[in-house]
Amino acid sequence: MKKNHRFLCLFLFACASVLSMTAQENVSYFLHTVEKGQSLYSIASMYGVKQAEIIKLNPESDEQIYAGHTLRIPLTENNARKETFHTIQPGETLYRLTIKYGTTARNICEANPGLSAENFRIGEVIRIPSPAEVSAPGTSSGVVYSSQESPARRQPVESHCRDMHKVKRKETLYSISRLYNISEAELLNANPELKGENKIKKGAFLCIPYPQTETSQTANTPGNIPTDKELFNENPKTKKRYNPINVAVILPFLNGSRSETTRMVEYYEGFLLAVDSLKREGTSVNLHTYDSGTNTSSINEILSKKELKEMDIIFGPLHQEHIKPLADFSQKHGIHLVIPFTSKDNSVFRNPSIYQINTPQSYLYSEVYDHFARQFGQAVNVIFIESEEGSKEKESFIKGLKEELRNRNIPMNSVNENAISTQMKSLLKQDRTNIFIPTSGNNLVLIKTLPQLTLLVRENPECRINLFGYPEWQTYIKDYLEAFFELDTYFFSSFYTNNLLPASINFTKKYHKWYAKDMDERYPKFGMLGFDTGFFFLKGLNKYGSDFEQRMTNLDLVPIQTGFKFERVNNWGGFINKKVFFVHFTKGYELVKLDFD
């Protein structure tokens, strides 16, 4: 009896193993290489999958992921319904992908606004919309692994195009033909659907043919394959500027809490000062302002307004539930959407229209770690001041920083926030820079620790000692200015202004003159945030027009408070602001904003 029972157990185990292997063979996935600042949350958001689904294929990712790490991303029913994600392999070109997937260069370009010859490189992931006639996405050897066989593909019809041009506002056949040094007749022959049309529609993709001299010699040669550079030929000329710029501001000015209303009004007041400054420079702006209220129905009413489709750029909203409908609207109509406040929405990972001012936490911290290493180097000794008050808020920052220090073999120790200076002294190293970092940005921690740290510095003048902290410390400057200078203090922030600088003084005076009041003492100052965001984007649109996305890094502006360093999160998503400053209170009683770019 026992023998039969043992045989049955072995038989069931063998069956389970076979079923497990079969299940694994049927799992389809593609590869994603983790970039600096990405988290499991942001990666899952990019591909429309759950974090648990990524962990299932990559068990080690539950503990940590790091830049350069390759993850298997599952192809689920959710993310395979509308598109295929493809990891570029050695030797692949855009043209070859059009053949592989039975689609066109136009479709691939439209699905990946950030795709270019410069980033069409091995390991990059791009999005390929599934053609209507193809029932399932194809597989790619070494990229998408599946037990299913790839369906037959049709030959693309756009191999004669040297470029795909997305029509911008106010562009004409004449202006586009001049842009690429071809005739209108050549452009019409390459796009026969345009014949008889009075005008071309904004957002449409046009095939840009090879000039006739090249067509006979090159493009019609059998087997000739256009290069990536030809398909993504970046024209150095600036396209037509917006004149005037149609702008909408959509924020909850009424019906919110008193604090919320005050912040939104102050932001808008700063924004108006930016519009006034630009108008004095000759920029023409048509400004439309809408009160979004606090419920979903109010945003839908605004989106139904006819004039909103004609906007070049929209600033807002504030509330989380308003972001998706407004983002979808902006993407559909090709409108830039600037989200000035929240950093927690994931729409930016799948919507190319979005510019997110507040940096998502994982990207922000990654920039801080990089700047920390550049500022202090290897010869440091980090001492964490452990606190119970507010430490949960900085838990992920401290965890990531400790991991970075371990990877760089930098020594670190910990001391309790109630420790006295003699206990702290035992952790000092004379041959290194000793950096004290509280595990909380709470004011109570500073109240407890600053006196002991000040005493430590005075009793050990031969030691190099710094204090390092957080953005919210700028709200305590008035209370701790002397201590910050004596402790050679640094803190990081995406928003900062020195109230003694001329730009800050002039703006504060102008704000007071216009509105007969002062800005609220908060971090950040919303009046300055409104001015900086308004001036940056409207100046950029006026200067570069439809080339704004490609050339915004060329804008030579020094904002009053807000730093701007926009990078696209992936080939098909929007932009996040990755600008971070270090503010340094030197022993020489100087206040320095360190810009690492």
Side-chain angles (χ1 to χ4, degrees):
M1 187 70 179
K2 288 183 179 179
K3 186 175 181 180
N4 290 338
H5 177 72
R6 183 181 179 189
F7 176 78
L8 179 61
C9 289
L10 289 172
F11 175 76
L12 292 174
F13 177 78
C15 288
S17 298
V18 171
L19 288 172
S20 176
M21 290 174 64
T22 303
Q24 290 177 16
E25 288 173 359
N26 287 329
V27 171
S28 296
Y29 61 86
F30 58 96
L31 301 179
H32 172 89
T33 302
V34 180
E35 295 183 8
K36 189 178 72 169
Q38 291 181 338
S39 63
L40 267 184
Y41 169 79
S42 66
I43 294 170
S45 299
M46 287 180 196
Y47 300 114
V49 299
K50 296 178 180 177
Q51 294 183 55
E53 293 172 328
I54 297 179
I55 294 172
K56 187 175 180 179
L57 284 181
N58 308 270
E60 74 286 356
S61 66
D62 193 22
E63 293 294 324
Q64 66 169 341
I65 61 173
Y66 50 87
H69 185 194
T70 300
L71 294 177
R72 298 175 178 180
I73 308 297
L75 278 174
T76 65
E77 183 181 349
N78 183 38
N79 67 9
R81 190 178 298 120
K82 293 183 179 179
E83 65 261 327
T84 297
F85 292 101
H86 178 93
T87 308
I88 297 171
Q89 296 298 287
E92 287 185 328
T93 65
L94 176 63
Y95 177 71
R96 290 177 182 176
L97 292 184
T98 64
I99 298 174
K100 180 181 210 45
Y101 288 100
T103 187
T104 62
R106 174 183 302 183
N107 289 339
I108 295 178
C109 292
E110 190 169 26
N112 298 273
L115 193 62
S116 68
E118 285 70 31
N119 65 8
F120 197 87
R121 57 181 182 267
I122 298 170
E124 279 288 322
V125 179
I126 60 175
R127 192 170 68 170
I128 300 174
S130 298
E133 69 272 20
V134 179
S135 59
T139 62
S140 175
S141 177
V143 182
V144 178
Y145 304 81
S146 174
S147 60
Q148 298 177 343
E149 187 177 350
S150 173
R153 304 295 175 191
R154 66 178 178 85
Q155 179 74 15
V157 296
E158 294 180 332
S159 60
H160 64 289
C161 303
R162 68 179 167 104
D163 202 350
M164 301 303 300
H165 176 85
K166 187 175 182 179
V167 179
K168 306 299 190 300
R169 188 184 302 275
K170 299 183 180 179
E171 286 187 322
T172 64
L173 286 175
Y174 175 79
S175 66
I176 295 172
S177 63
R178 295 283 74 76
L179 199 60
Y180 293 95
N181 197 28
I182 58 176
S183 68
E184 289 184 69
E186 289 176 286
L187 188 59
L188 282 171
N189 287 336
N191 300 272
E193 72 277 7
L194 297 180
K195 293 180 179 179
E197 296 288 335
N198 292 325
K199 64 177 183 177
I200 51 179
K201 294 181 180 179
K202 183 188 75 171
F205 275 90
L206 301 185
C207 168
I208 305 301
Y210 291 90
Q212 288 183 350
T213 53
E214 294 182 20
T215 302
S216 58
Q217 299 174 11
T218 308
N220 290 335
T221 303
N224 185 274
I225 299 175
T227 65
D228 294 335
K229 200 70 177 178
E230 291 167 333
L231 286 163
F232 292 102
N233 181 33
E234 184 178 336
N235 188 56
K237 297 180 182 178
T238 300
K239 299 178 179 66
K240 188 175 178 66
R241 300 176 184 179
Y242 295 111
N243 189 27
I245 305 171
N246 294 317
V247 184
V249 177
I250 304 177
L251 294 172
F253 297 109
L254 303 172
N255 303 319
S257 65
R258 183 176 179 180
S259 174
E260 179 181 286
T261 298
T262 300
R263 284 182 289 135
M264 295 302 99
V265 169
E266 186 177 300
Y267 175 88
Y268 184 62
E269 289 169 339
F271 189 91
L272 289 178
L273 291 177
V275 172
D276 177 70
S277 296
L278 289 167
K279 283 190 173 182
R280 291 173 186 273
E281 295 180 4
T283 302
S284 180
V285 176
N286 288 335
L287 180 60
H288 303 254
T289 307
Y290 304 91
D291 180 14
S292 64
T294 57
N295 52 55
T296 305
S297 60
S298 59
I299 198 74
N300 291 334
E301 184 180 342
I302 295 171
L303 297 181
S304 66
K305 293 183 181 296
K306 184 179 179 180
E307 73 271 11
L308 205 66
K309 297 177 183 178
E310 300 303 316
M311 296 299 112
D312 296 308
I313 189 167
I314 297 174
F315 294 82
L318 172 67
H319 296 301
Q320 190 84 14
E321 61 269 26
H322 291 168
I323 292 177
K324 189 178 187 308
L326 188 50
D328 290 344
F329 179 89
S330 297
Q331 183 176 10
K332 179 180 179 182
H333 297 286
I335 302 169
H336 303 286
L337 176 63
V338 179
I339 301 178
F341 308 112
T342 184
S343 64
K344 297 179 180 178
D345 187 81
N346 63 4
S347 299
V348 69
F349 297 114
R350 295 177 66 83
N351 189 322
S353 301
I354 293 175
Y355 296 80
Q356 192 163 298
I357 303 296
N358 259 342
T359 313
Q361 192 179 80
S362 60
Y363 288 90
L364 174 68
Y365 291 169
S366 179
E367 290 291 305
V368 174
Y369 304 152
D370 182 60
H371 295 347
F372 187 94
R374 290 165 66 182
Q375 178 65 25
F376 299 112
Q378 294 287 113
V380 295
N381 172 41
V382 177
I383 303 163
F384 291 98
I385 303 175
E386 301 289 344
S387 170
E388 295 181 3
E389 187 71 36
S391 59
K392 192 76 175 176
E393 184 183 349
K394 304 299 181 186
E395 184 177 6
S396 59
F397 173 79
I398 296 297
K399 180 181 178 182
L401 181 56
K402 287 181 176 179
E403 184 64 32
E404 185 78 14
L405 296 175
R406 275 193 290 269
N407 292 339
R408 295 174 179 270
N409 296 315
I410 292 175
M412 52 183 158
N413 288 285
S414 295
V415 65
N416 188 272
E417 63 181 346
N418 297 312
I420 59 176
S421 60
T422 52
Q423 292 172 306
M424 295 177 176
K425 181 180 178 179
S426 64
L427 300 176
L428 296 178
K429 296 182 182 296
Q430 291 194 19
D431 60 338
R432 289 176 174 264
T433 300
N434 300 277
I435 304 175
F436 286 86
I437 306 177
T439 59
S440 167
N442 194 283
N443 188 29
L444 292 176
V445 178
L446 291 175
I447 292 173
K448 289 180 181 179
T449 58
L450 286 184
Q452 296 300 329
L453 285 172
T454 302
L455 183 61
L456 181 71
V457 168
R458 292 173 181 176
E459 292 179 343
N460 300 274
E462 73 284 358
C463 290
R464 299 190 302 275
I465 297 174
N466 294 100
L467 176 64
F468 187 88
Y470 306 100
E472 54 266 40
W473 283 10
Q474 58 191 290
T475 60
Y476 314 142
I477 288 177
K478 289 183 179 179
D479 298 324
Y480 306 121
L481 186 60
E482 286 293 327
F484 281 170
F485 281 127
E486 190 165 1
L487 295 173
D488 214 359
T489 303
Y490 292 82
F491 66 75
F492 69 86
S493 180
S494 297
F495 306 93
Y496 176 74
T497 187
N498 184 341
N499 293 324
L500 300 178
L501 291 178
S504 179
I505 293 172
N506 292 336
F507 177 82
T508 302
K509 285 181 178 178
K510 187 173 182 180
Y511 182 92
H512 185 86
K513 181 179 179 180
W514 271 49
Y515 304 112
K517 64 176 183 178
D518 294 322
M519 289 174 286
D520 277 7
E521 286 296 330
R522 65 171 81 240
Y523 156 77
K525 290 186 176 180
F526 277 70
M528 290 183 177
L529 179 62
F531 181 89
D532 286 342
T533 52
F535 198 89
F536 178 85
F537 284 96
L538 300 185
K539 178 80 170 181
L541 285 175
N542 181 64
K543 187 172 184 179
Y544 298 126
S546 55
D547 275 350
F548 172 66
E549 285 186 0
Q550 291 75 33
R551 304 186 66 182
M552 61 181 165
T553 54
N554 297 337
L555 271 176
D556 187 19
L557 298 177
V558 181
I560 301 170
Q561 174 185 244
T562 316
F564 296 115
K565 178 188 172 184
F566 287 101
E567 292 184 12
R568 200 183 285 275
V569 290
N570 52 52
N571 285 317
W572 58 93
F575 296 85
I576 58 170
N577 182 20
K578 298 176 71 173
K579 190 70 169 185
V580 180
F581 304 110
F582 277 11
V583 180
H584 183 199
F585 298 78
T586 74
K587 283 185 173 293
Y589 291 90
E590 289 184 310
L591 195 51
V592 181
K593 183 164 72 172
L594 300 173
D595 189 342
F596 292 88
D597 299 309

